[in-house]
Amino acid sequence: MSFTSGQTVRDFATVTLSERLLRKSTADSYMQTVRHLNLGDVLMEEVTIQFLHQRLLTITNVNTKRKHTVALRALFRDVLPDIKELKITKSVPRVYEIPSEEDMRRVIEATPYRFYGLLMMYAGLRIGEACAIGPKDVKGNVLKVHKQRDEDGQMVLSKTQGEVIIPSWLAEEVRNHRVTVVTPGAVRESMWRYGQKLGITVNPHMLRHWYATVMVGKKVNPEIARQQLRHSDLKTTLGYYAQVKKTDIDEAVNDLFGLKPEAVKEETAKPKKKSKGKKAGKKKGELEQMFKEWLKNQGLED
């Protein structure tokens, strides 16, 4: 892939992304990077590693910078051979100030999108996945997650696929749900708006974090939590989703070591007796034998 003289980054990105087999959400994310870094009207001849590096320096959030770096490396990989010099920093787990279960339920029940909120909160689904669920996706209490609805309302393949075990009451909700086209953006905005009215900050992804945190907090086998969240790596479940508060640590330490240990009784050491073991006896016998041999050699033997 090459670019033409006078071509802007926006035009280059549009053509490049249309020729690749990418998820629409991924392509949209890359174009968002072009807009966020004000690269759209920049001529391709002006794009260098140093130029892109300077634009990335304007991003102060570590995770946002990481996201844009990934996008830039993907966009310009065929025209900038040294693009890998843009180092992808390690992401930092996002820590939410998660409200109580009751408060989050208050927000969910207030919105017109209660059904989707319940799926995110009690099944750990992502917002797009929740918007794609219908009665045919549940069998018994097993929910099949394999698709998601994008921001345009179109059905696409979900980020990760798998089966999720859900409570019986929630399975009944799914069976009775009437499918309508609801976009993730509509749910997100509604939760924010009603949360503001109630004085409670809630966003969809926070519900998925709450789900993971509750499972780990209840000492559920971490592998169960991983499978329910459909993560490929357990480190993601424990390191990025299951949040630990100081009060949790305090409680764990007090449960394990809260009782003061009893004083240890001191015992008086007994003096060691001199040993008359085999070594000492053997040494004495050898000396006696040597003495007898000396007497014999001297002619002094009786």
Side-chain angles (χ1 to χ4, degrees), residues 146-165:
H146 60 95
K147 58 186 183 297
Q148 68 181 33
R149 203 175 287 279
D150 65 17
E151 295 295 343
D152 295 325
Q154 301 298 314
M155 287 289 197
V156 295
L157 191 67
S158 60
K159 186 176 180 180
T160 54
Q161 298 81 47
E163 294 181 341
V164 176
I165 307 301

Side-chain angles (χ1 to χ4, degrees), residues 191-206:
M191 288 185 66
W192 180 85
R193 187 169 63 252
Y194 281 92
Q196 291 298 302
K197 289 181 180 180
L198 295 170
I200 303 168
T201 301
V202 177
N203 68 59
H205 206 58
M206 183 187 290

Side-chain angles (χ1 to χ4, degrees), residues 42-61:
V42 175
L43 296 178
M44 284 297 297
E45 290 92 335
E46 299 175 15
V47 178
T48 63
I49 296 298
Q50 186 61 30
F51 176 82
L52 296 176
H53 175 68
Q54 292 299 322
R55 290 298 173 99
L56 287 171
L57 289 178
T58 64
I59 309 299
T60 56
N61 182 279

Side-chain angles (χ1 to χ4, degrees), residues 115 119 130-138 143 147 174-175 177 179:
F115 174 73
L119 283 173
C131 291
I133 292 296
K136 293 181 180 179
D137 297 314
V138 67
L143 187 67
K147 58 186 183 297
V174 176
R175 280 189 284 270
H177 176 62
V179 177

Side-chain angles (χ1 to χ4, degrees), residues 113-135 137 143-150 155-156 158-160 170 174 177-184 187 191 204-205 207-208 230:
Y113 304 117
R114 169 182 175 275
F115 174 73
Y116 311 108
L118 294 177
L119 283 173
M120 290 183 281
M121 189 167 182
Y122 294 105
L125 267 59
R126 302 177 180 91
I127 184 172
E129 296 167 343
C131 291
I133 292 296
D137 297 314
L143 187 67
K144 184 178 181 182
V145 183
H146 60 95
K147 58 186 183 297
Q148 68 181 33
R149 203 175 287 279
D150 65 17
M155 287 289 197
V156 295
S158 60
K159 186 176 180 180
T160 54
L170 185 55
V174 176
H177 176 62
R178 183 178 176 182
V179 177
T180 56
V181 177
V182 175
T183 64
V187 178
M191 288 185 66
H205 206 58
L207 302 178
R208 183 168 163 87
R230 289 161 291 116

